[in-house]
Amino acid sequence: MEDEDGYFGEEIAATYDESSAAMFRPEAVDPAVDLLAGLARDGRALEFASGTGRIALPLARRGIPVHGIDMSRAMTARLRAKPGSDAVDVTIGDFATTRVPGTFAVAYLVFNTINNLVTQDAQVACFHNAAAHLSPGGCFVVEVGVPDLRRLPPGQDAVPFEIGPTRWAFDTYDVTTQAMSSHYVKIVDGRAEHWSVPFRYVWPAELDLMARLAGLRLRDRWETWTREPFTAESRRHVSVWEKPVD
């Protein structure tokens, strides 16, 4: 990775909203914004990996002061081009370690982005960074998938998640290191193009331990933003950890 914007440089940023269109629909955005606004109440919100503003902008429209941290200048430029972006402050930097002034009622990290931190140390640092920004009683919210290892038969390390006439996508797993990569192949002008992004998958119980190391405690865990119960069959979760009041 040589781009200063990481894996989300200009080429990805230019089509990000369109390629992730389903995640920008009201049924995907509104429940997340409802929950986060409720946790923020009259306080400020801090978004790790604010991207093109999918959550930050509608949350700011609710009257919640929002500050984002994002490594990608290209993604942030897309946010800045949208109406209402003047209500969202953004600091360019690594969300696992970058500090911004003040304290926040809620910090959040959505859409599997905790997995973009590809080492356990970086994920632990992210929890410490969130805790350092929170006021007492504040909450850190993470939305992430449950590792899909149940779909791996013995001897297989790849799981497809998109198959189409001109586009294919699949994840590969290394169960010894918890490393994974998402691979995308598409046909452009009769030629195949390949793009991949590395991740580190993480288990709910592992996240709880990271939270404890940062001085946070689990408050709630649901399958969805609409607070459906988290069960053994859940393929993702929305978890809320709270900073104790001294």
Side-chain angles (χ1 to χ4, degrees):
M1 182 181 64
E2 298 180 356
D3 194 318
E4 65 178 356
D5 287 346
Y7 289 93
F8 295 87
E10 179 59 33
E11 183 177 355
I12 299 304
T15 59
Y16 180 82
D17 289 13
E18 292 77 12
S19 64
S20 303
M23 295 302 296
F24 283 81
R25 293 172 184 161
E27 57 267 31
V29 171
D30 291 349
V33 172
D34 288 343
L35 193 150
L36 294 169
L39 291 173
R41 292 173 293 182
D42 296 326
R44 304 166 68 210
L46 175 65
E47 181 169 5
F48 289 168
S50 45
T52 65
R54 183 179 72 93
I55 300 298
L57 290 172
L59 187 59
R61 287 196 291 269
R62 298 282 187 95
I64 306 297
V66 180
H67 196 119
I69 300 174
D70 201 291
M71 179 183 291
S72 174
R73 292 166 176 79
M75 296 283 277
T76 301
R78 296 309 188 285
L79 184 157
R80 287 280 167 247
K82 296 179 180 179
S85 63
D86 55 341
V88 178
D89 293 323
V90 180
T91 297
I92 300 298
D94 180 350
F95 63 78
T97 56
T98 299
R99 292 292 306 274
V100 299
T103 58
F104 298 82
V106 62
Y108 61 95
L109 179 59
V110 301
F111 201 12
N112 300 317
T113 311
I114 185 72
N115 293 343
N116 285 86
L117 301 173
V118 297
T119 67
Q120 188 181 68
D121 285 346
Q123 292 172 344
V124 169
C126 176
F127 273 81
H128 280 279
N129 198 29
H133 282 97
L134 291 174
S135 56
C139 294
F140 182 37
V141 183
V142 172
E143 176 198 23
V144 65
V146 176
D148 217 5
L149 302 190
R150 292 171 67 181
R151 298 181 63 195
L152 282 178
Q156 181 175 316
D157 63 1
V159 175
F161 61 88
E162 181 178 345
I163 299 175
T166 60
R167 180 179 167 95
W168 303 267
F170 59 94
D171 290 327
T172 56
Y173 294 86
D174 183 340
V175 298
T176 62
T177 63
Q178 292 183 213
M180 63 176 290
S181 294
S182 291
H183 300 263
Y184 303 86
V185 179
K186 63 180 180 179
I187 303 300
V188 178
D189 298 328
R191 300 183 62 183
E193 295 183 357
H194 172 253
W195 178 65
S196 66
V197 185
F199 299 105
R200 181 184 186 270
Y201 67 81
V202 61
W203 300 97
E206 188 181 6
L207 292 170
D208 290 343
L209 182 56
M210 293 179 185
R212 289 181 61 187
L213 292 172
L216 307 176
R217 61 191 178 199
L218 183 66
R219 184 172 124 175
D220 291 295
R221 172 166 291 133
W222 305 289
E223 180 176 323
T224 66
W225 291 103
T226 54
R227 309 190 189 200
E228 294 295 318
F230 180 76
T231 72
E233 299 303 317
S234 297
R235 298 183 63 183
R236 62 176 178 142
H237 61 99
V238 176
S239 295
V240 182
W241 297 273
E242 186 175 51
K243 185 171 184 176
V245 177
D246 296 332

